Amino acid sequence: MSSRDPDVMQTLAGAAQVLSEQERESIYDSINELCNPQTREAALLELSKKRESVGNLAPLLWHSFGVVAALLQEIMMVYPYINPPTLNAQQSNRVCNSLALLQCIASHPETRTSFLAAHIPLYLYGFLHTQSKARPFEYLRLTSLGVVGALVKTDEPEVINFLLTTEIIPLCLRIMEHGSELSKTVSTFILQKILLDETGLSYICQTYERFSHVAMILGKMVLSLAKPKDQSARLLKHVVRCYLRLSDNPRAREALRQCLPDQLKDQTFAGILKDDSSTRRWLQQLMKNLQERDGGMMLNGEAQRM
């Protein structure tokens, strides 16, 4: 259906009280222009600017004929520039505007389930595999992570169940190790949200290999954050929360007693946590959890290898 069809127009009616008739007409026109390759770039930019102010934009995009296909076409058009890495700034900005609209769809409760059922996040994983540190690629990775971050922010089990069937955990771990500070922060937030789900925690702690990979990357991040030039209170907050959640699993708790970095046990981060009461409280709770002996089983009997 087009953006002028009754069902789509009814979807926008919820925003009628805050949008003028001229603004609604502008949104209709921009959505229709997405389906025209000649007008798509300008329409992407215009709609990406309005995604925060138009509450029902996501259902409009999802139910308008050809729009999601056009957004996916924009994504696939840059695949040839990923390897070898030749993506330029204009291409990156354009595809990131498409990703911003997909993030809008991923965030909305009326479209999220359909978004997952269509496996649309998988189209973004090729971007998360990139390793070029050039700005166009960093922007592309960060915006792609934003789509996944919008999904996990909802705390819905169906989101975690979907992500666990994909390669999102190793992708996030690689970015946590090698990405920019902002990309590391979003990746760690995604891992944190997966861990906070019972199924996610069980999945990561199910085998020694999965747990040890997560613990190794978190440990490397702590060592890096201990360097004065790399300290980031925001990133440390997510790292500590991941450790605290891991300590809720008896087998992971037993392993952490042997592999938790010393920098989290001493006063290394006292300065940057001075004004962060919540992270200090999480760190204190982590120490308390690790001090309590509960006779928990080791992860497949392998914790001593940590």
Side-chain angles (χ1 to χ4, degrees):
M1 65 182 74
S2 76
S3 61
R4 300 283 182 168
D5 284 347
D7 290 343
V8 176
M9 294 181 73
Q10 185 176 5
T11 298
L12 193 58
Q17 294 181 345
V18 294
L19 293 175
S20 67
E21 182 177 349
Q22 182 178 4
E23 288 172 322
R24 292 199 302 276
E25 288 297 319
S26 174
I27 292 171
Y28 291 145
D29 290 341
S30 294
I31 290 176
N32 284 331
E33 289 168 358
L34 287 176
C35 296
N36 183 346
Q38 302 304 317
T39 57
R40 186 179 298 162
E41 185 171 9
L44 285 169
L45 179 60
E46 187 65 23
L47 288 170
S48 66
K49 292 178 180 177
K50 295 179 177 177
R51 68 186 190 278
E52 299 291 342
S53 58
V54 182
N56 286 332
L57 181 59
L60 266 176
L61 293 169
W62 185 259
H63 294 294
S64 294
F65 179 80
V67 166
V68 174
L71 297 178
L72 294 179
Q73 186 180 44
E74 287 293 307
I75 288 172
M76 291 184 286
M77 282 173 59
V78 302
Y79 285 170
Y81 303 96
I82 296 301
N83 190 17
T86 57
L87 188 75
N88 62 39
Q90 181 182 0
Q91 291 170 318
S92 179
N93 289 337
R94 177 166 172 163
V95 72
C96 285
N97 285 333
S98 299
L99 292 170
L101 295 182
L102 288 179
Q103 180 175 337
C104 174
I105 295 171
S107 302
H108 200 284
E110 291 183 29
T111 52
R112 188 181 307 118
T113 298
S114 299
F115 183 85
L116 289 174
H119 289 195
I120 290 179
L122 299 183
Y123 286 88
L124 317 184
Y125 283 15
F127 301 154
L128 298 181
H129 271 287
T130 62
Q131 299 185 53
S132 170
K133 294 188 181 299
R135 182 170 294 182
F137 284 89
E138 178 59 29
Y139 186 30
L140 184 62
R141 280 191 298 271
L142 187 58
T143 312
S144 300
L145 286 169
V147 178
V148 182
L151 286 170
V152 299
K153 193 179 291 186
T154 65
D155 295 321
E156 294 183 352
E158 69 167 338
V159 171
I160 304 303
N161 290 336
F162 169 81
L163 292 176
L164 292 179
T165 67
T166 74
E167 57 179 330
I168 192 61
I169 293 177
L171 285 173
C172 283
L173 290 174
R174 186 165 71 181
I175 295 172
M176 287 163 61
E177 184 175 8
H178 299 294
S180 67
E181 179 189 331
L182 195 50
S183 289
K184 286 181 178 181
T185 301
V186 180
S187 296
T188 311
F189 170 76
I190 292 169
L191 177 65
Q192 172 188 318
K193 284 294 189 177
I194 292 173
L195 283 168
L196 288 173
D197 181 88
E198 286 298 333
T199 303
L201 177 64
S202 298
Y203 177 87
I204 287 176
C205 296
Q206 186 176 19
T207 68
Y208 168 75
E209 287 73 20
R210 290 175 190 166
F211 169 82
S212 63
H213 192 190
V214 171
M216 177 186 70
I217 298 302
L218 289 175
K220 287 183 176 181
M221 294 178 75
V222 170
L223 293 178
S224 177
L225 287 166
K227 301 174 183 177
K229 67 181 181 65
D230 293 328
Q231 289 191 349
S232 165
R234 178 173 53 178
L235 181 53
L236 180 62
K237 185 186 194 80
H238 294 303
V239 170
V240 171
R241 190 66 186 92
C242 286
Y243 272 123
L244 177 58
R245 179 55 173 161
L246 284 170
S247 74
D248 288 336
N249 180 277
R251 294 184 297 172
R253 184 162 59 244
E254 186 66 32
L256 286 175
R257 291 188 178 112
Q258 303 179 50
C259 70
L260 189 74
D262 291 338
Q263 288 80 359
L264 292 178
K265 303 174 187 177
D266 55 29
Q267 297 299 307
T268 298
F269 298 111
I272 63 173
L273 294 182
K274 180 178 58 176
D275 299 319
D276 190 343
S277 59
S278 61
T279 304
R280 290 202 314 271
R281 187 169 61 252
W282 290 341
L283 194 54
Q284 291 167 1
Q285 184 62 49
L286 172 63
M287 296 302 116
K288 181 179 178 182
N289 289 355
L290 298 186
Q291 289 167 5
E292 295 175 352
R293 308 304 299 187
D294 51 21
M297 295 173 57
M298 292 183 181
L299 285 158
N300 287 352
E302 300 278 1
Q304 64 273 16
R305 285 166 48 188
M306 301 298 296

Short mmCIF file of all heavy atoms in Angstrom, two decimals, residues 10 20 26 36 56 84 96 115 178 184 193 206 216 235 246 273 301 305:
data_model
loop_
_atom_site.label_atom_id
_atom_site.label_comp_id
_atom_site.label_asym_id
_atom_site.label_seq_id
_atom_site.Cartn_x
_atom_site.Cartn_y
_atom_site.Cartn_z
N GLN A 10 -4.56 6.36 8.74
CA GLN A 10 -5.10 6.21 10.09
C GLN A 10 -3.97 6.06 11.11
O GLN A 10 -4.04 6.54 12.23
CB GLN A 10 -6.02 4.99 10.16
CG GLN A 10 -6.71 4.84 11.51
CD GLN A 10 -7.68 3.68 11.51
OE1 GLN A 10 -7.78 2.93 10.55
NE2 GLN A 10 -8.38 3.52 12.61
N SER A 20 0.95 19.61 12.03
CA SER A 20 0.06 20.40 11.18
C SER A 20 -0.23 19.62 9.91
O SER A 20 0.47 18.65 9.58
CB SER A 20 0.71 21.73 10.84
OG SER A 20 1.85 21.53 10.01
N SER A 26 4.02 16.65 4.22
CA SER A 26 5.46 16.53 3.97
C SER A 26 5.95 15.12 4.26
O SER A 26 6.78 14.56 3.52
CB SER A 26 6.21 17.55 4.84
OG SER A 26 7.61 17.37 4.72
N ASN A 36 11.46 6.03 -4.93
CA ASN A 36 12.02 6.54 -6.18
C ASN A 36 13.53 6.74 -5.99
O ASN A 36 13.94 7.59 -5.20
CB ASN A 36 11.35 7.87 -6.55
CG ASN A 36 11.86 8.42 -7.88
OD1 ASN A 36 12.88 7.98 -8.41
ND2 ASN A 36 11.14 9.40 -8.41
N ASN A 56 4.50 7.96 15.38
CA ASN A 56 4.00 6.83 14.61
C ASN A 56 4.69 6.66 13.27
O ASN A 56 4.15 6.04 12.35
CB ASN A 56 2.48 6.98 14.38
CG ASN A 56 1.70 6.69 15.65
OD1 ASN A 56 2.14 5.93 16.50
ND2 ASN A 56 0.54 7.32 15.78
N PRO A 84 37.07 -4.93 -0.65
CA PRO A 84 37.98 -4.09 0.15
C PRO A 84 37.29 -2.82 0.64
O PRO A 84 36.33 -2.36 0.02
CB PRO A 84 39.11 -3.76 -0.82
CG PRO A 84 38.48 -3.87 -2.17
CD PRO A 84 37.47 -4.97 -2.08
N CYS A 96 23.58 5.22 6.59
CA CYS A 96 23.30 5.42 8.02
C CYS A 96 21.94 6.09 8.23
O CYS A 96 21.28 5.84 9.24
CB CYS A 96 24.41 6.22 8.69
SG CYS A 96 25.90 5.24 8.99
N PHE A 115 9.64 -6.86 12.60
CA PHE A 115 11.03 -6.55 12.26
C PHE A 115 11.94 -7.75 12.55
O PHE A 115 12.78 -8.12 11.72
CB PHE A 115 11.47 -5.33 13.08
CG PHE A 115 12.85 -4.82 12.80
CD1 PHE A 115 13.08 -3.94 11.76
CD2 PHE A 115 13.93 -5.19 13.60
CE1 PHE A 115 14.35 -3.44 11.51
CE2 PHE A 115 15.20 -4.71 13.35
CZ PHE A 115 15.41 -3.83 12.31
N HIS A 178 38.36 -4.08 20.02
CA HIS A 178 39.11 -3.30 19.04
C HIS A 178 38.44 -2.00 18.61
O HIS A 178 39.07 -1.21 17.90
CB HIS A 178 39.35 -4.15 17.78
CG HIS A 178 40.13 -5.40 18.02
ND1 HIS A 178 41.45 -5.38 18.42
CD2 HIS A 178 39.77 -6.72 17.93
CE1 HIS A 178 41.89 -6.63 18.56
NE2 HIS A 178 40.89 -7.46 18.28
N LYS A 184 32.63 0.59 21.61
CA LYS A 184 32.81 -0.34 22.74
C LYS A 184 31.69 -0.19 23.74
O LYS A 184 31.18 -1.18 24.29
CB LYS A 184 34.15 -0.06 23.43
CG LYS A 184 35.38 -0.51 22.68
CD LYS A 184 36.64 -0.19 23.49
CE LYS A 184 37.89 -0.68 22.78
NZ LYS A 184 39.11 -0.39 23.58
N LYS A 193 22.69 -6.23 28.33
CA LYS A 193 21.27 -6.51 28.21
C LYS A 193 21.01 -7.99 27.95
O LYS A 193 20.03 -8.56 28.44
CB LYS A 193 20.66 -5.66 27.09
CG LYS A 193 20.46 -4.20 27.47
CD LYS A 193 19.42 -4.09 28.58
CE LYS A 193 19.01 -2.67 28.84
NZ LYS A 193 17.96 -2.56 29.87
N GLN A 206 26.74 -21.48 29.76
CA GLN A 206 26.47 -22.89 29.51
C GLN A 206 27.75 -23.68 29.27
O GLN A 206 27.87 -24.84 29.66
CB GLN A 206 25.52 -23.03 28.32
CG GLN A 206 25.07 -24.45 28.04
CD GLN A 206 24.05 -24.51 26.92
OE1 GLN A 206 23.92 -23.59 26.12
NE2 GLN A 206 23.30 -25.59 26.85
N MET A 216 37.47 -13.06 29.11
CA MET A 216 38.75 -12.60 28.58
C MET A 216 38.63 -11.18 28.03
O MET A 216 39.48 -10.31 28.31
CB MET A 216 39.23 -13.54 27.47
CG MET A 216 40.54 -13.10 26.82
SD MET A 216 41.01 -14.12 25.41
CE MET A 216 39.75 -13.64 24.20
N LEU A 235 31.94 3.63 30.03
CA LEU A 235 32.26 2.27 29.60
C LEU A 235 32.50 1.35 30.80
O LEU A 235 32.04 0.20 30.82
CB LEU A 235 33.50 2.30 28.70
CG LEU A 235 33.98 0.96 28.14
CD1 LEU A 235 32.85 0.23 27.43
CD2 LEU A 235 35.16 1.19 27.19
N LEU A 246 27.22 -11.68 35.71
CA LEU A 246 27.86 -12.99 35.61
C LEU A 246 27.97 -13.65 36.98
O LEU A 246 27.84 -14.87 37.11
CB LEU A 246 29.25 -12.86 34.98
CG LEU A 246 29.30 -12.64 33.47
CD1 LEU A 246 30.71 -12.29 33.03
CD2 LEU A 246 28.80 -13.87 32.71
N LEU A 273 35.20 6.80 39.64
CA LEU A 273 33.92 6.36 40.21
C LEU A 273 33.49 7.24 41.39
O LEU A 273 32.46 6.97 42.01
CB LEU A 273 34.02 4.91 40.68
CG LEU A 273 34.21 3.85 39.58
CD1 LEU A 273 34.25 2.46 40.19
CD2 LEU A 273 33.11 3.95 38.53
N GLY A 301 34.00 -27.84 34.92
CA GLY A 301 35.21 -28.24 35.61
C GLY A 301 36.46 -27.53 35.12
O GLY A 301 37.57 -27.96 35.38
N ARG A 305 41.36 -23.19 34.76
CA ARG A 305 42.16 -22.77 33.61
C ARG A 305 42.07 -21.27 33.38
O ARG A 305 42.75 -20.73 32.53
CB ARG A 305 41.65 -23.50 32.35
CG ARG A 305 42.09 -24.95 32.32
CD ARG A 305 41.33 -25.74 31.28
NE ARG A 305 41.30 -25.05 29.99
CZ ARG A 305 40.56 -25.49 28.98
NH1 ARG A 305 39.80 -26.56 29.11
NH2 ARG A 305 40.57 -24.84 27.83
#
